[in-house]
């Protein structure tokens, strides 16, 4: 009798896991959140990059109007970049890693890419810290804004050309379509 109760408990747990698998990536993560491809994720990340670019471009005007507001805006840009990186860490890297789990060389290359991306992000964050410091010191912020914009642009460019491209290759629908078209082309 105890084995039946245990079997029902496992069946119920499996049912709950399937329900969670259907939830969108905007949900809160748990230890049981499944790793899955989200076809809209890259679009949302690029929109966040666009928003960050716009916020950085507005900093000189804010600085001329209200330096305290400019300082808060620079801090908010750093928070925005942290949020983009958090989403990449939670949703992009695990999907790619799962897709490359049978290829040790590709996994090492992904790890190397992750180190490069962390370095680029750190450079952008340091630039934002220097910009916030320049705002606090009432210094000219033209050069720090240019440095931050360049660092953010390089971070985005590498994401788009490498990381987001890899993520897109993990699309299970694309893989099935390629397999289907490949098998029909051979006939």
């Amino acid at each position: 009798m105890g084995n039946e109760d245990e079997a029902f408990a496992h069946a119920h747990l499996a049912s709950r896991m399937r329900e969670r698998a259907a939830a969108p990536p905007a949900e809160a993560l748990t230890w049981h959140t499944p790793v899955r491809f989200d076809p809209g994720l890259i679009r949302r990340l690029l929109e966040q990059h666009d928003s960050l670019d716009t916020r950085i471009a507005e900093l000189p005007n804010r600085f001329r109007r209200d330096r305290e507001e400019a300082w808060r805006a620079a801090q908010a840009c750093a928070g925005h970049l942290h949020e983009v990186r958090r989403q990449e860490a939670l949703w992009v890297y695990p999907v790619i890693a799962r897709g490359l789990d049978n290829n040790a060389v590709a996994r090492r290359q992904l790890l190397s890419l992750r180190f490069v991306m962390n370095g680029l992000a750190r450079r952008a964050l340091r630039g934002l810290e220097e910009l916030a410091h320049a705002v606090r010191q009432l210094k000219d912020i033209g050069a720090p804004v240019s440095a931050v914009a360049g660092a953010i642009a390089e971070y985005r460019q590498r994401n788009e050309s490498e990381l987001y491209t890899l993520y897109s290759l993990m699309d299970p629908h694309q893989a099935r379509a390629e397999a289907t078209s490949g098998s029909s082309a051979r006939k």
Side-chain angles (χ1 to χ4, degrees), residues 39-174:
L41 178 63
I42 299 302
R43 178 188 44 79
R44 289 192 307 275
L45 288 170
L46 291 174
E47 288 170 357
Q48 289 181 23
H49 279 288
D50 289 340
S51 173
L52 181 59
D53 291 344
T54 301
R55 292 169 85 172
I56 290 169
E58 292 172 350
L59 285 173
N61 290 334
R62 287 180 180 222
F63 182 71
R64 285 189 282 281
R65 284 192 319 258
D66 182 353
R67 290 164 194 229
E68 187 64 29
E69 180 187 340
W71 180 81
R72 283 192 302 274
Q75 297 296 318
C77 287
H80 193 117
L81 180 56
H82 278 298
E83 178 57 23
V84 169
R85 293 186 69 222
R86 185 186 75 80
Q87 289 182 26
E88 290 167 354
L90 295 174
W91 299 111
V92 175
Y93 285 107
V95 169
I96 295 171
R98 168 88 38 97
L100 301 176
D101 66 349
N102 292 326
N103 187 331
V105 173
R107 282 195 323 267
R108 281 192 298 275
Q109 289 174 335
L110 176 62
L111 180 62
S112 177
L113 175 61
R114 191 160 189 179
F115 285 136
V116 168
M117 297 311 297
N118 282 336
L120 292 172
R122 285 299 313 149
R123 194 174 101 206
L125 289 167
R126 274 193 310 277
L128 284 164
E129 289 170 10
E130 291 169 7
L131 174 62
H133 183 71
V135 168
R136 280 283 191 209
Q137 300 298 315
L138 305 176
K139 295 179 180 177
D140 178 43
I141 65 165
V145 167
S146 293
V148 167
I152 295 288
E154 185 177 2
Y155 179 75
R156 179 183 180 155
Q157 186 275 327
R158 290 292 293 266
N159 270 329
E160 286 183 39
S161 66
E162 296 179 45
L163 186 66
Y164 296 171
T165 301
L166 273 173
Y167 181 83
S168 296
L169 293 173
M170 300 299 138
D171 183 351
H173 299 296
Q174 179 183 0

Side-chain angles (χ1 to χ4, degrees), residues 1-14:
M1 187 88 156
N3 287 341
E4 288 178 7
D5 290 339
E6 192 172 312
F8 284 124
H10 286 294
H12 178 70
L13 180 60

